[in-house]
Amino acid sequence: MKKYIGLLMFVGALTFTSGCGGELSKVAADHSEIVISSLENKAEAKTASVEKPDVENLSNELINHIIQDTNEEGKVKQFQTIAEVEQDLQKITSKELASEIADVYFAEREGDLYLVPTELFPWVNTDESYELEKLNEYEYELTQSNESDLYGSYTINIHFLYENNHWIINDFEIK
């Protein structure tokens, strides 16, 4: 009788585990697919190279973000606050640079936003030659020497940074 009960328990356990085995096999197969997919995605990410920045477009876009449509008193039409201007600039610049630019070129008065009447800083002339140096996969620096009637001779260095899956102007220096 003990042998019969032992055999019955063995057959029952085998039946139980074979039923679970089908589920466990499916779970294991699903898990394996997820792991393989994850490894493939990581391998693709490591082998996908970042394209160099479109420095001419980014440079021109920065100026276009600074120059705003205004009414005859200089009131900005598109934005109401400096914070909105900063947020707009952060699409193409670092947070720090956006804040610096907004503080120089915009002012809030009596609940309205105004463009400060001043000259723009000397900027890159995309019609002239420039050097673009790759610092690493995620950073480039543009250097250009120019001359203008207003500023005389100057050299501009623009630092581009790949951040959050797109290129931004991290900072620039004019000498």
Side-chain angles (χ1 to χ4, degrees):
M1 179 79 168
K2 285 184 182 181
K3 286 184 183 181
Y4 179 71
I5 293 175
L7 182 62
L8 189 59
M9 286 177 61
F10 177 73
V11 170
L14 187 61
T15 304
F16 177 74
T17 56
S18 68
C20 291
E23 287 296 316
L24 289 175
S25 296
K26 177 154 178 37
V27 169
D30 290 346
H31 179 71
S32 294
E33 286 179 34
I34 291 169
V35 168
I36 290 169
S37 175
S38 175
L39 291 173
E40 288 172 350
N41 288 341
K42 286 179 184 175
E44 284 177 26
K46 286 184 179 179
T47 59
S49 64
V50 174
E51 295 289 325
K52 72 180 184 178
D54 184 349
V55 297
E56 292 181 13
N57 183 47
L58 280 169
S59 300
N60 291 331
E61 200 172 331
L62 176 59
I63 299 302
N64 292 337
H65 280 255
I66 295 170
I67 298 172
Q68 292 290 318
D69 286 333
T70 62
N71 67 14
E72 52 280 346
E73 289 107 31
K75 182 178 171 185
V76 175
K77 294 180 179 180
Q78 185 177 355
F79 303 108
Q80 282 70 49
T81 65
I82 288 177
E84 289 177 357
V85 171
E86 288 177 1
Q87 187 175 17
D88 183 60
L89 286 167
Q90 286 176 35
K91 294 175 186 173
I92 56 168
T93 69
S94 65
K95 184 176 183 176
E96 295 79 15
L97 183 57
S99 180
E100 289 174 27
I101 290 171
D103 288 345
V104 169
Y105 292 99
F106 298 90
E108 290 181 34
R109 291 192 305 263
E110 300 171 11
D112 293 319
L113 183 68
Y114 291 87
L115 190 60
V116 174
T118 187
E119 292 291 327
L120 280 175
F121 44 81
W123 198 236
V124 65
N125 180 349
T126 56
D127 295 330
E128 298 293 328
S129 65
Y130 55 83
E131 293 179 28
L132 185 62
E133 179 184 359
K134 182 177 183 177
L135 304 176
N136 61 54
E137 188 174 2
Y138 303 105
E139 295 178 272
Y140 280 78
E141 184 172 78
L142 179 146
T143 302
Q144 183 182 58
S145 295
N146 275 328
E147 192 170 321
S148 75
D149 293 338
L150 183 61
Y151 296 106
S153 295
Y154 65 91
T155 299
I156 185 166
N157 295 313
I158 306 173
H159 184 233
F160 296 90
L161 178 67
Y162 191 77
E163 183 176 87
N164 298 323
N165 297 318
H166 71 281
W167 287 101
I168 62 168
I169 298 173
N170 192 47
D171 57 32
F172 64 90
E173 178 182 32
I174 300 166
K175 301 176 197 172

